[in-house]
Amino acid sequence: MQNLKIYYHPDISSLEHKSIFTRLATRSIAIQGNSILLLFTERYEDYSLPGGGLDDGEDKIEGMIRELSEETGALEVRNIKPFGIYEEYRPWHKPDFDIQHMISYCYTCEINTELGASKMEHYEIKNGMTAKWVNIYEAIAHNKKTMLESAKKGMSIERETFLLELLAERMS
C-alpha cells in the first residue's frame, strides 16, 4: 500500500531518545457522488473518517469492516480497495511512552446508503460522535474553519483534512 504522508505533530521536535508506542489503525472511505460517510464529533467540532485501532493480530480488512460497522452501522461492506497509509507521530499522554506512532491503513469501499444501528463505544458517545453522509467539500471547509478558529480541535484533524482533500482532488 502506498504511503500517502508522514506527519509530525508540532509538539514532536525529535524522535531521538524517546519511547514510542506504535498503534495500527484503519480508516474507511465510502463515497457516493460528492457525499462521503463521515463521523461528526461535537467535542472536537470536526469530521473524520470512520475507523480506529486494530486488535492484536486482527486482519486489517476485518478490522476496517468491524470499525466501520460499529461506528456507522454500515451494511453490506463490499468492493474494498487499498487507498494508502497515513503515518503520524504525536504526543502520548500516558506515563509509559513519550510518543504515539499511529499507522492508519485507509481503504475505499462501497456500502448501502441507508445505515443500520451503530455500536459506539462509551467515549465515542460521550464525545458526541454521529455518522452522517456529508458533501466532501463542505466537510473540508468545516474542518479548515475548525483548525483556524477552534480551541477544541483534536489531534486527528490534520490527518482527516489531508485525506479528505486528497480524496476530493482525485474525484475532480
Side-chain angles (χ1 to χ4, degrees):
M1 196 180 300
Q2 175 190 7
N3 200 324
L4 303 170
K5 182 172 183 164
I6 299 175
Y7 171 79
Y8 296 87
H9 187 276
D11 292 345
I12 305 293
S13 56
S14 169
L15 299 178
E16 233 178 289
H17 309 296
K18 303 285 185 189
S19 58
I20 300 173
F21 169 74
T22 299
R23 181 174 186 229
L24 305 180
T26 62
R27 310 279 165 220
S28 301
I29 302 163
I31 297 175
Q32 295 184 1
N34 283 342
S35 291
I36 184 167
L37 181 62
L38 297 174
L39 295 167
F40 181 76
T41 305
E42 284 181 39
R43 177 180 179 187
Y44 300 121
E45 299 176 349
D46 68 4
Y47 286 104
S48 60
L49 294 168
L54 291 169
D55 295 331
D56 284 341
E58 185 175 26
D59 176 79
K60 291 177 188 75
I61 300 288
E62 289 174 11
M64 187 273 301
I65 294 169
R66 176 185 54 76
E67 284 286 341
L68 178 59
S69 298
E70 286 174 359
E71 291 182 344
T72 70
L75 302 169
E76 295 186 36
V77 182
R78 59 198 178 276
N79 199 19
I80 299 166
K81 295 181 181 166
F83 181 75
I85 299 169
Y86 186 99
E87 287 188 67
E88 58 194 303
Y89 292 89
R90 55 199 217 184
W92 181 249
H93 300 292
K94 294 181 182 173
D96 47 352
F97 292 96
D98 301 314
I99 296 171
Q100 180 186 56
H101 177 206
M102 173 91 74
I103 304 171
S104 293
Y105 297 90
C106 305
Y107 296 91
T108 60
C109 64
E110 294 175 15
I111 61 171
N112 293 356
T113 305
E114 193 171 318
L115 302 172
S118 65
K119 298 179 197 128
M120 296 219 183
E121 294 186 46
H122 175 72
Y123 77 92
E124 293 168 329
I125 295 166
K126 188 177 172 188
N127 287 342
M129 288 178 87
T130 52
K132 47 179 87 173
W133 289 98
V134 184
N135 178 288
I136 191 167
Y137 302 100
E138 290 173 14
I140 292 166
H142 177 91
N143 277 6
K144 284 184 163 186
K145 184 175 187 227
T146 296
M147 289 167 75
L148 288 173
E149 299 175 4
S150 178
K152 294 178 12 175
K153 74 174 189 156
M155 280 199 281
S156 62
I157 195 167
E158 284 84 3
R159 174 190 67 226
E160 301 301 326
T161 307
F162 171 85
L163 292 169
L164 289 171
E165 288 180 317
L166 184 59
L167 286 162
E169 179 184 303
R170 293 186 182 180
M171 288 168 58
S172 1

